[in-house]
Amino acid sequence: MTANNSTDQKLDKAVRVAVLGAAGGIGQPLSLTLKMNIHVKELSLYDVSPHVSGVAADLSHIDTPAKVSWHTPDNGGLPAALDGCDFVLVPAGVPRKPGMSRDDLFKINAGICAELASGIAQYCPTATVLVISNPVNSTVPVFAEVFKKNGTFNPRKLFGVTTLDSVRADTFIHEVMPDLNWGLIKVIGGHSGDTIVPLLSTVLGQDIKSLSHMQLHAINHRVQYGGDEIIQAKKGLGSSTLSMAYAAQKFFTTVLSSYLGLTDKNIACTFINTEFDNEALDGVNELKQIVRKLTGRPDLDLKYFAMPCVFGPNGIERVQYECLEHLDSTEVEMVKVCCETLPSNYSKGIDFVRGK
Ligand SMILES: NC(=O)C1=CN([C@@H]2O[C@H](COP(=O)(O)OP(=O)(O)OC[C@H]3O[C@@H](n4cnc5c(N)ncnc54)[C@H](O)[C@@H]3O)[C@@H](O)[C@H]2O)C=CC1
Ligand SMILES: O=C([O-])CC(=O)C(=O)O
């Protein structure tokens, strides 16, 4: 691969990335996108499945700088996979089959996530961690609690990947409004059914009135339940993998370019821990106050929430709470419904690690 001077400079800034669950439906195409990223100098693929060696061999023939390695519990294990990693992407765990909820995955995936989180805390404690494994509303708290136990938790660097919801919102709105700019729709709350809250009004403004109530409801519903559409179409052979890999690389690129200082003021929605005050995460106090006001629940304990965030070299720089200041009445209702379910989802992850 040839590189001009400015590319050379950027290549000086390159990272080591691990994918945990790299042999899976998401892991494989996601690893492909990472191998294609010139800012990835080392790509470490980990899976409990021995097929990961073949995935690594296949990717290693691609003519990009990233050096690919593979690891299983019998080949170096988590210590070798995670050593020196700047980023860890986690699509490990079981996917849904028709008729299952994301919550049904918790029993198996919580244990997998706890084990992987413990490895990260030990072998790359300062890494930025992107959690894809479902149910995101509960697995992100599993990671956070394990990191807290190990004294390595940093709320600026732990993200639940909810980008697929924004990608879907953008795609579905364009089916009825093809002239809109792309990539602007924010989706907040959580990543499961009616905890998913698309904020269409913030982008559409007055144009929202050109959509009927039924059209708006249909788009919101399709974003909330888009995952089921894929599961049905795949007829028992898994859930979204290709669109998820696309979404994860999109989010990773935003976080990475901020981390490397290649571009500034990068914004993306992600599921974050909101327990700590503004000193840990700027804008988080305002977020909690506004949600409490919107839901009419002054005592609402909001420990996790997906929000648009501004990223910088150290992870999240600021939570964009302002997006909550001008919601329309449909969106306020959706936030209320979200906040009825979300606390039990995140508490499940917290309790799992605390052994309740
Ligand atoms: N955040 C989101 O928007 C989305 C999340 N997902 C979730 O991502 C997860 C993965 O989905 P797929 O790739 O389709 O599943 P998959 O079954 O195709 O792949 C999962 C991989 O994880 C590996 N694995 C299992 N236990 C492991 C462990 N302890 N350590 C390392 N690897 C382990 C498996 O061997 C397998 O290769 C599921 O939980 C799914 O629900 C899926 C789509 C969207
Ligand atoms: O629906 C699922 O289980 C996978 C997922 O999270 C999505 O496609 O949004």
Side-chain angles (χ1 to χ4, degrees):
M1 209 171 95
T2 54
N4 62 26
N5 280 349
S6 78
T7 314
D8 279 343
Q9 274 175 6
K10 287 180 179 177
L11 283 173
D12 287 346
K13 299 177 168 184
V15 291
R16 175 168 159 87
V17 182
V19 180
L20 311 183
I26 296 168
Q28 291 200 34
L30 177 57
S31 300
L32 171 63
T33 69
L34 296 168
K35 176 68 176 121
M36 292 165 69
N37 189 323
I38 55 162
H39 301 297
V40 176
K41 66 177 175 200
E42 286 178 48
L43 181 57
S44 166
L45 307 183
Y46 176 82
D47 205 295
V48 289
S49 162
H51 294 308
V52 72
S53 65
V55 176
D58 197 352
L59 290 177
S60 71
H61 286 198
I62 294 174
D63 61 348
T64 55
K67 205 167 155 268
V68 185
S69 61
W70 65 272
H71 313 275
T72 59
D74 297 331
N75 183 44
L78 285 174
L82 294 171
D83 182 45
C85 280
D86 306 290
F87 285 85
V88 184
L89 280 61
V90 191
V94 290
R96 285 199 283 163
K97 291 195 181 305
M100 288 172 83
S101 70
R102 288 186 185 79
D103 193 47
D104 293 333
L105 304 174
F106 183 79
K107 236 179 170 172
I108 298 181
N109 288 355
I112 293 174
C113 288
E115 177 199 323
L116 298 175
S118 172
I120 294 168
Q122 258 180 288
Y123 306 116
C124 55
T126 60
T128 300
V129 180
L130 280 62
V131 180
I132 296 168
S133 315
N134 268 319
V136 167
N137 293 358
S138 315
T139 52
V140 174
V142 169
F143 276 86
E145 289 300 313
V146 172
F147 293 162
K148 283 185 208 168
K149 267 192 174 175
N150 286 274
T152 65
F153 181 53
N154 180 350
R156 293 172 184 271
K157 287 188 158 193
L158 173 65
F159 314 125
V161 183
T162 57
T163 321
L164 186 50
D165 302 321
S166 301
V167 166
R168 285 183 177 132
D170 243 49
T171 305
F172 303 156
I173 197 82
H174 275 83
E175 289 177 6
V176 290
M177 300 182 97
D179 296 332
L180 278 181
N181 289 333
W182 287 91
L184 297 176
I185 298 186
K186 298 174 166 63
V187 182
I188 63 168
H191 177 67
S192 179
D194 55 18
T195 67
I196 298 172
V197 182
L199 301 185
L200 302 181
S201 74
T202 52
V203 169
L204 299 182
Q206 287 305 310
D207 290 344
I208 204 162
K209 293 190 177 131
S210 65
L211 296 177
S212 69
H213 178 73
M214 267 177 64
Q215 272 176 313
L216 264 180
H217 175 75
I219 293 170
N220 281 329
H221 188 269
R222 199 169 169 212
V223 175
Q224 291 182 320
Y225 294 92
D228 300 65
E229 217 175 277
I230 311 295
I231 290 166
Q232 275 154 27
K234 290 198 175 179
K235 300 183 185 356
L237 292 179
S239 57
S240 14
T241 53
L242 303 176
S243 52
M244 181 60 232
Y246 167 81
Q249 75 77 31
K250 195 173 183 190
F251 180 66
F252 173 71
T253 305
T254 302
V255 181
L256 179 68
S257 30
S258 318
Y259 177 84
L260 294 178
L262 303 177
T263 51
D264 56 8
K265 298 281 167 276
N266 292 303
I267 296 168
C269 293
T270 180
F271 188 70
I272 54 167
N273 176 286
T274 54
E275 277 174 283
F276 300 97
D277 62 14
N278 274 353
E279 270 184 45
L281 221 51
D282 195 15
V284 92
N285 290 352
E286 291 82 352
L287 155 69
K288 285 192 277 195
Q289 274 166 23
I290 297 174
V291 172
R292 286 178 188 136
K293 205 165 152 200
L294 289 175
T295 54
R297 294 169 59 188
D299 300 327
L300 178 68
D301 183 20
L302 195 70
K303 292 185 174 166
Y304 289 85
F305 206 69
M307 282 294 284
C309 297
V310 183
F311 292 89
N314 300 313
I316 296 175
E317 279 188 349
R318 201 171 84 77
V319 178
Q320 271 200 326
Y321 64 88
E322 314 86 273
C323 74
L324 295 171
E325 283 172 345
H326 305 286
L327 303 189
D328 69 15
S329 57
T330 309
E331 291 160 351
V332 171
E333 270 319 301
M334 291 173 84
V335 169
K336 283 185 187 167
V337 173
C338 164
C339 290
E340 277 162 26
T341 309
L342 196 57
S344 64
N345 289 170
Y346 60 67
S347 298
K348 203 165 170 172
I350 296 170
D351 294 348
F352 177 82
V353 178
R354 293 189 187 171
K356 282 189 197 158

